[in-house]
Structures are given as structure tokens and as C-alpha cells.
Amino acid sequence: MIKLNEIKRAFLVSAWFIFLTFPIMVIRINPVEHIVEWRWKNMALVGIGSFFLSFVWNYLMKQKEPGFKKTETAEKTDTIPPLPPARRIQREKRIYIPALVAIGTLTIVFPFIFSMYQTNIMVSALIYIMLGLGLNIVVGLAGLLDLGYVAFYAVGAYAYALLNYHFGISFWMALPIGGVLGAVFGILLGFPVLRLRGDYLAIVTLGFGEIIHIILQNWNEFSFGPSGIANIPRPSLFGIDLSVHSSTIYIYYIMIGLCIVTIFVVNRLQNSRIGRAWVALREDELACQAMGIDKAKTKLTAFALGATLASMAGVVFAAKTTFVNPASFTIWESIIILCIVVMGGMGSIIGVIAGALVLILTPEYLRAFSEYRMLAFGTMLVVMMIFRPGGFIPDVRRIYKFEGVKSMDKS
Amino acid sequence: MLKIKNIQTFYGNIQALKDVSIEISEGEIITLIGANGAGKSTTLMAVSGIVPPRSGEIFFMGEPITDMEPDKIVSLGICQVPEGRRIFPYLSVTENLDMGAFLRNDKAKIKKDMEYVFDLFPILADRRHQAGGTLSGGERQMLAISRALMARPRLLLLDEPSLGLAPLIVKKIFEIIGKINAENNTTIFLVEQNANLALKVATRGYVMENGRITLTDSSKNLLANEDVKKAYLGF
Ligand SMILES: Nc1ncnc2c1ncn2[C@@H]1O[C@H](COP(=O)(O)OP(=O)(O)OP(=O)(O)O)[C@@H](O)[C@H]1O
Ligand SMILES: [Mg+2]
């Protein structure tokens, strides 16, 4: 039932919003005619809109509160609580195998049923999936907050651009070279920050990202400064140069392949000894040392692997746009990649993929709202973090079982 | 088995350990008692290689380990249960135990050892899929000890296992410490504030004050010592 104080509260919220948005929504100064326009209609819209939104908000918040409606059922026995829908789907073979087949088919036929424009956007999303999975190793698994991740992306892109410009090295040669260079840079950054954690690490990596950006911007002899490097060749298929259209499709499949390999590798690593060491390191460094985990080695491998993936994504990026300049590698990119990881669900592969698709595709399709695009995007982030603080699809923590140990799953 | 020779440890300019020497032979339980801030934890950190001493030497089975990396020291068979348990809060009980066996490869034996610790602490078996962070204080201490046992240590370093636990649980944990020592011949270096209980389970004891060892004797003599009684036993 709607109570009186709920109405009062919604009313106050709308009054507050009217006050807040008054200067931008109501007053408009017309400099040509030297008059002030008062758009009272906007004020009414803001008022009514926020009044209703506040109701919806309150309702949702109430539902979110633990114990809402569920108390009676939960208390009965100590059976395992029902899994959330996302996990249930992952468990239920009958649902997820057909779903997997459907998604697989869609990915394969995608470039043939959608326009080149759509395919291009999808390639961007795939690049961000790879970046997200890489950063997920560093931030999600090893718990090292890296705000300069874009630097490794830039290393890969410039590696291909420069190697091609000076030595005519092809895409397929540049891909592994870029990966190795990324690993080297990852370790170079890793060494000085081995002893740092949390906020300090974040600041230092932020600085590292900016340093790379500034070098690319200003060292004209090396990187051609702000004007960048143009005419980077697209990848060739067995020496045949493809048309723009077919090479877009080709890059799309290359990215699909790279993403599949990345998912496979990350998944294997996550359940391996080093993956467990990362997770343990994230939780308690001292306990890790007491258990005989080599702190330095574990951190460096996380940095190196994350950087390798970013760098390879960078090579593809350079090949896709055929042009690189420092403007593509700003702090903003690092933040988007971090958002992908955090919003998708730290440590969860499916989460990161979902995060990348939502965060990269939504702004593209929100272009219609042009100026309100970032506003809508920001609102979405805030709402998301309130209702799903663990991300879209949070990490399903693996339970390690040794065969022969009696399983408790029987209940 | 373990020989600590005149070590000095500094935190910045503050000297935490002054000329500390301790010796433990195989199969023994010894205890190090002292007030808050005496330097007991620092001593264990030096043995584990996490806070290496500035001078002095540490030998384990005759081999110098003073400047060794912590992971090498664990692989030699020294495992520490740090102060305040420090289990991994988001890992399940089984995963926590698994982390203890991080340096081992013998799956079959790891499985056996896991059954062994579940025998020692049956409550952990009931909680095996529960996240470490949701365990009670007593269960956490049991898990921390079990996790260290999973490394199959020859020397087990225990830092204040009784910290913040009810007397009944403390008694039980001390019984099990004795049992671990008796059944596996694991040497135990026990750091404690609860001097009374510690001296009952240990054969010998060291008393530390302000970073210095001031007294060492058999547990029986220490329990009878007037100064120790006054300062640590509360009568
Ligand atoms: N990381 C550190 N940095 C600076 N000083 C430290 C650090 N750790 C310990 N100390 C100092 O070293 C001294 C000895 O500390 P330690 O933790 O070894 O004492 P303790 O005997 O274990 O005490 P408690 O019984 O309270 O655990 C204390 O004065 C403490 O303040
Ligand atoms: Mg201490």
C-alpha cells in the first residue's frame, strides 16, 4: 500500500530535482536577443518524472532488502538456498547447451546477416572483451588495481604500426611480437610496484599509463607525435589483399578466434596452481607467504599475462583502424576497461564478456540520444552498482574437491 | 633442528629483536612467552623469512636459512600459523586447506592429509564448503592450524593460537597441539601469552622482554619461578 510518508518523500525528491536542474533545464539565455527564456514546461516534466521515478526506486530498494517476502520460506530448513537464475542456467545442461549452440551459430553468421557497420562495432566489442579478460587477471583474480592498463594496449598497437612502418613486418608476425613486448612491459611495470597495494598501486599504475601516453604524444622522432601513424595494412589472407569489406569480416573472425583462445587460456589458468595463488594473494599476502607462495613471481605473472593480452588486442586494433595516434590511448580507455571488469563481475569470465558487450554496444546504440548518451550511461552504472554490486554475473567460486573425499552435495 | 643465533631485527630505526638466540631439537615442543610487543611474532617472522633479521644467523637442520625467501623456507618444512589466523575469507574450507598444500604435488597423500585434519577437527569436515570468512573464531583457528599441517611441516610455528578464544576451545586446541606432536613427531615452536597453558604443553620455555630473551628453562622450573609467576601467571 502506498503510505502517506512515501508520497511526502517522493514529493521532496522531486522538489530537490527541480531545484537541482533549474539552471540547466528551465533558464535559457538567448544571447542574440538579450533575453532570458523561462521554460516552465521543462520544470513540470522534471517534477513529475522524478516524482514517479522516486516511487519506482523506493519499491526496488525495498525488494532488495534482505528478508523481503522471503523470510518465511528461507527459515524452514537448512537446505541449500535456491541458486540465482544466472547460475541455475549455467548448471542446467538442457538450457545451456542449446544456448551455447545458438550463440555459436550467431557469432559465426553475424557478419553475413548484419551490415559492415555492425560488424565493425562488434569487432570493437570483441577487442574490449579481450582487454577485459586481460585486466580481469590483474584486478579480478590477483586483486592488483591497475589504472594504467591502456599503456599495454598502446604498446601492442604501436608495436605493429612502427614495426610495419620501418621493417614492413606483417600482421601475423606482429601479433606474437606484440604479445612478447606486452609481457616485457608488464614485468617492467611489475618490478617497481611489487611492494605496493591498493590505492598506492593504483596511483603508480595511473602514472605509468600517463607516461606512455605522454611519450607517444611528444617523442616525434619515435612515434610521430599527435599526428600518429597512418596506412597500417589490414591483415592479409595468405598474401592476398582483401577489400575493406571482406577484411572487416576477416578481422572479425580473427578476433573471435583470439577471444576463444583467451577464454580457454584464462579458464585453464584460473583453475591451475598459479590461478589459485592469484586468488590467495588477493585475499591475504602474509598468509600466502606463510603457505610458501612466491609473492613476487605470482604478481609478475599476473601483470605479464594481462599485458600480453592487452598488447595483442592492441595489434588487432591498429590493423582494424589502419591508423594509430595517442588519442586512442588515454586514461579514459583504462577506466572503461576497468568498468567492464567491475560491472561484469570481477573474476568471472562470462561476467567480463557480458560487461564488455553491454558497455561497448550500449553507447553505440545510444547514439540516437547523442548529448544524453553519457548521462544515460552514467545512470546505468550507478543503478547497476546499487542493485548488482557483484557485477552482472558474479564469479562462481570454484569448489576444489579431491576425488575420494566424500562430497557434501548429496543433501 | 632449529638454531637461532644472535639475531637482531629492526623495523626502520626501531629495534624489535636484540640478540635473540633460541634452539629447538627435533620432536620437541618449546614455547616463547612474553608481554605484548615483546617481539615474539617478530621472532617467528624472522624464522619464516618474511621479516629477515639485520644480523645474526638462523639454521634449520644445519642449513643456513637467514636470507632465504619465504617460499624456500616453507619448502624445507617450516610452516607458520600467523597471529590472528589469517585464513582466506572468500575461499572455502577445502580451498583453504588446499592452499596449505600449495607446494606439494602428491595428490594421493594430500587427500590423506586432508582426511587426517578432518579427523583432528571434525567440525571442519561439516563446514568444508563454507567460506572461511563465515567461520567462528575457534573454527578459524582450527582451520589455520589444519592449513599449516597440509604443508606437512617438520617444524610448526604457532603464533598465539589461544588469542581471543573461549577457555574450553583453547584447552581443546592445546590438546590437539600435543597430539600433532606425539603422532607425527612434528616439532612445535609455540608463541603464547597464555603462559600457564603453554608451559604445560611445552617441555621448555623462553621468556622474552623488550626484544631480549631474559630467561630460559624447563617448563617445570619456569612454572615454579617466582618472577615468571608474578609477571605471566598472575599469582
Ligand atoms: N611491521 C612493523 N613495523 C614497525 N614496527 C613493528 C612492526 N611489527 C612489529 N613492530 C614492533 O615491533 C615490536 C615487537 O612486535 P611483535 O609483534 O613481535 O610483538 P609480540 O611479542 O608478538 O606482541 P603480541 O603479543 O602483542 O603479539 C613492537 O614494539 C611493535 O610495535
Ligand atoms: Mg605477536
Side-chain angles (χ1 to χ4, degrees), chain B residues 56-86:
Chain B
E57 282 169 301
I58 305 172
F59 295 95
F60 180 64
M61 318 288 289
E63 191 181 342
I65 58 165
T66 325
D67 297 315
M68 237 182 224
E69 291 295 320
D71 54 300
K72 292 273 152 37
I73 293 177
V74 175
S75 71
L76 288 180
I78 301 183
C79 198
Q80 186 187 163
V81 180
E83 191 172 353
R85 9 270 191 213
R86 311 201 72 140

Side-chain angles (χ1 to χ4, degrees), chain A residues 60-380:
Chain A
L60 290 174
M61 286 307 274
K62 236 189 233 155
Q63 239 182 0
K64 191 172 97 91
E65 268 166 30
F68 177 79
K69 275 185 184 173
K70 292 173 202 153
T71 29
E72 308 123 57
T73 44
E75 269 177 352
K76 264 185 212 151
T77 43
D78 54 353
T79 47
I80 299 166
L83 293 161
R87 280 192 204 177
R88 238 181 347 231
I89 290 168
Q90 279 169 297
R91 284 265 174 101
E92 193 70 55
K93 274 214 165 80
R94 249 181 317 165
I95 305 175
Y96 91 64
I97 290 185
L100 215 62
V101 171
I103 293 172
T105 327
L106 184 67
T107 25
I108 291 171
V109 299
F110 188 90
F112 298 107
I113 48 175
F114 289 99
S115 68
M116 192 176 129
Y117 169 73
Q118 307 278 5
T119 312
N120 242 325
I121 293 175
M122 209 52 186
V123 171
S124 295
L126 289 169
I127 290 179
Y128 279 92
I129 287 179
M130 199 164 161
L131 289 169
L133 288 172
L135 188 62
N136 181 43
I137 295 178
V138 184
V139 179
L141 294 178
L144 306 162
L145 185 52
D146 183 350
L147 291 184
Y149 191 62
V150 71
F152 307 122
Y153 186 36
V155 164
Y158 269 86
Y160 178 36
L162 289 171
L163 285 173
N164 182 271
Y165 181 84
H166 293 296
F167 310 107
I169 282 185
S170 74
F171 172 82
W172 288 110
M173 284 287 289
L175 199 59
I177 297 176
V180 171
L181 269 178
V184 170
F185 271 82
I187 291 171
L188 278 182
L189 168 70
F191 262 113
V193 301
L194 270 181
R195 309 182 56 182
L196 302 179
R197 263 196 87 95
D199 350 20
Y200 298 101
L201 177 68
I203 297 290
V204 174
T205 50
L206 183 74
F208 179 75
E210 276 307 285
I211 288 171
I212 297 265
H213 181 73
I214 288 169
I215 288 177
L216 293 177
Q217 186 99 344
N218 294 301
W219 192 0
N220 286 329
E221 301 78 48
F222 172 70
S223 68
F224 302 96
S227 53
I229 302 162
N231 294 327
I232 303 166
R234 296 194 169 82
S236 62
L237 183 61
F238 305 117
I240 312 159
D241 283 330
L242 300 166
S243 70
V244 176
H245 185 85
S246 37
S247 88
T248 303
I249 295 175
Y250 185 41
I251 292 182
Y252 172 85
Y253 285 119
I254 292 175
M255 258 337 283
I256 291 281
L258 280 174
C259 281
I260 289 174
V261 172
T262 308
I263 291 166
F264 181 75
V265 169
V266 173
N267 186 40
R268 285 305 291 271
L269 281 172
Q270 221 168 8
N271 301 316
S272 71
R273 176 185 289 251
I274 184 83
R276 288 185 290 145
W278 285 332
V279 173
L281 199 68
R282 172 181 80 190
E283 298 199 0
D284 195 322
E285 283 196 13
L286 186 111
C288 273
Q289 285 184 299
M291 293 303 106
I293 294 169
D294 187 338
K295 211 169 81 175
K297 207 172 83 187
T298 311
K299 279 191 183 180
L300 287 179
T301 39
F303 271 121
L305 272 163
T308 307
L309 292 177
S311 189
M312 288 170 85
V315 173
V316 179
F317 172 78
K320 170 186 172 258
T321 54
T322 70
F323 169 69
V324 292
N325 77 344
S328 308
F329 308 104
T330 56
I331 168 84
W332 180 236
E333 293 301 304
S334 292
I335 290 176
I336 288 188
I337 305 167
L338 190 65
C339 280
I340 288 174
V341 176
V342 174
M343 302 243 319
M346 289 219 260
S348 142
I349 295 177
I350 309 179
V352 171
I353 295 172
L357 291 176
V358 172
L359 260 77
I360 302 305
L361 298 184
T362 335
E364 290 298 337
Y365 295 117
L366 281 179
R367 268 187 206 285
F369 304 91
S370 60
E371 49 197 304
Y372 297 111
R373 188 159 69 121
M374 288 331 274
L375 186 68
F377 191 63
T379 315
M380 194 182 84

Side-chain angles (χ1 to χ4, degrees), chain A residues 273-274 276-277 279-295 298 397-409, chain B residues 45 50 70-71 74 79-80 82 86-92 94-95 98-100 102-105 107 110-111 114-115 125-126 128-129 147-148:
Chain A
R273 176 185 289 251
I274 184 83
R276 288 185 290 145
V279 173
L281 199 68
R282 172 181 80 190
E283 298 199 0
D284 195 322
E285 283 196 13
L286 186 111
C288 273
Q289 285 184 299
M291 293 303 106
I293 294 169
D294 187 338
K295 211 169 81 175
T298 311
R397 286 226 28 75
R398 280 264 185 169
I399 312 275
Y400 297 99
K401 268 179 280 187
F402 284 94
E403 293 115 65
V405 177
K406 271 170 279 158
S407 166
M408 292 285 289
D409 283 346
Chain B
M45 289 300 169
I50 297 172
D71 54 300
V74 175
C79 198
Q80 186 187 163
R86 311 201 72 140
I87 53 173
F88 302 113
Y90 290 104
L91 301 188
S92 70
T94 337
E95 287 170 309
D98 218 13
M99 290 313 299
F102 187 76
L103 292 176
R104 296 171 56 186
N105 282 318
K107 277 218 164 127
I110 292 175
K111 198 187 86 190
M114 205 174 277
E115 265 156 23
D126 297 340
R128 67 177 87 197
H129 294 311
R147 186 181 61 182

